[in-house]
Amino acid sequence: MANFGWTRVNKSAPAEDAAIDLRGLTDPLAMLAALDKVVPRYLDLADNDVLVYPACKRKPTDILGDIRAIWEHTRLEALRYIPMVPRQDTALLADPARQAEMIDAFLRQQPHDNTVVDFTGKPIEDYGIAIYAALNWLIHCCSLSGADPQKFSGTLRNFRKVMVVARQWWALDGAAERCAQMLAARERPPLVFFLLWAECTNLAREIAIAAYASAAPDESVARVRSALDPEDLN
């Protein structure tokens, strides 16, 4: 796995460095900042063979081979492409005033099946490239984990449909005010970042269940299915 130029860590570094602590975080910019910090740490741990990578290949006897970690880290592996965008303009992902612009640009892009990204230097295009790469990574992990392919069929097409609905939401009068109200109530309006986060969370859960199913008792899998986020399993 490529190093991407980040400082390498000692193999004995605690694997907990790969945890992304989102407890109490509801602001999308704070969540994006947390991703910026954890992605290089996680990739260094994978580069140095501290963690089995991809997470969906881990066994229960591996470091962080539990189903919660597999779920969390599979999601992180997909979302890593967002902090990799070379010229960050996170307002495109999280500012209500920029959502229509970002969604329109995303929908103009043709879907691709690459997880090796070729960024253009234009953030509005590169975020679209990163989103497709994130979803394609999860499709790839579906095959590696033996997850039900039916649950991943049409992933790119379905996410584009979600974005179309979001565009309609943002076109409504008072959308920005409604967004502010939802954020104040610790809810998640259809900001592009939140839409991608939700999609990656749901697909990563299916991958984690498939990767762990042979070793996990039925009640553990049922508990994961009823959870909305890896944090719910604490």
Side-chain angles (χ1 to χ4, degrees):
M1 181 179 171
N3 188 358
F4 301 109
W6 282 300
T7 303
R8 300 181 70 82
V9 297
N10 187 285
K11 189 170 182 177
S12 63
E16 287 74 11
D17 280 351
I20 178 168
D21 188 358
L22 296 172
R23 288 171 293 183
L25 291 183
T26 58
D27 177 73
L29 292 177
M31 295 172 70
L32 282 162
L35 273 179
D36 284 342
K37 293 179 180 178
V38 77
V39 163
R41 295 203 306 262
Y42 179 78
L43 293 177
D44 275 342
L45 290 169
D47 279 343
N48 286 276
D49 299 324
V50 176
L51 295 176
V52 173
Y53 171 90
C56 64
K57 288 186 173 182
R58 290 180 201 157
K59 297 178 175 59
T61 53
D62 292 326
I63 294 174
L64 294 183
D66 59 282
I67 195 167
R68 180 195 183 282
I70 295 173
W71 182 5
E72 181 180 43
H73 290 164
T74 299
R75 178 177 64 183
L76 180 61
E77 289 166 5
L79 289 167
R80 67 182 150 158
Y81 296 103
I82 297 299
M84 288 170 62
V85 168
R87 294 177 59 193
Q88 291 287 312
D89 185 1
T90 52
L92 289 165
L93 304 176
D95 185 341
R98 306 287 302 277
Q99 295 312 285
E101 177 188 1
M102 181 65 229
I103 292 171
D104 285 346
F106 174 80
L107 292 174
R108 285 195 299 268
Q109 286 189 356
Q110 293 300 311
H112 64 76
D113 58 1
N114 295 326
T115 57
V116 178
V117 293
D118 185 12
F119 291 126
T120 67
K122 299 178 181 178
I124 199 165
E125 296 179 4
D126 289 344
Y127 282 128
I129 292 170
I131 290 170
Y132 281 123
L135 299 176
N136 284 321
W137 176 258
L138 294 169
I139 294 169
H140 172 64
C141 290
C142 166
S143 299
L144 294 178
S145 66
D148 183 357
Q150 289 298 319
K151 294 186 177 180
F152 291 77
S153 177
T155 292
L156 302 184
R157 181 177 64 252
N158 293 337
F159 190 75
R160 287 177 65 88
K161 290 179 180 178
V162 168
M163 293 286 265
V164 169
V165 174
R167 180 172 60 182
Q168 295 168 348
W169 192 94
W170 288 107
L172 295 173
D173 290 340
E177 291 77 9
R178 177 58 180 154
C179 173
Q181 293 169 358
M182 293 179 71
L183 289 173
R186 304 176 71 84
E187 298 173 354
R188 290 182 176 173
L191 297 165
V192 171
F193 175 68
F194 282 155
L195 296 176
L196 179 62
W197 182 272
E199 188 73 0
C200 289
T201 298
N202 292 335
L203 294 177
R205 174 173 50 204
E206 295 300 325
I207 291 165
I209 288 172
Y212 200 75
S214 61
D218 292 341
E219 58 269 20
S220 295
V221 172
R223 184 166 171 249
V224 174
R225 286 203 178 280
S226 65
L228 299 177
D229 191 90
E231 289 185 4
D232 296 339
L233 302 180
N234 286 340

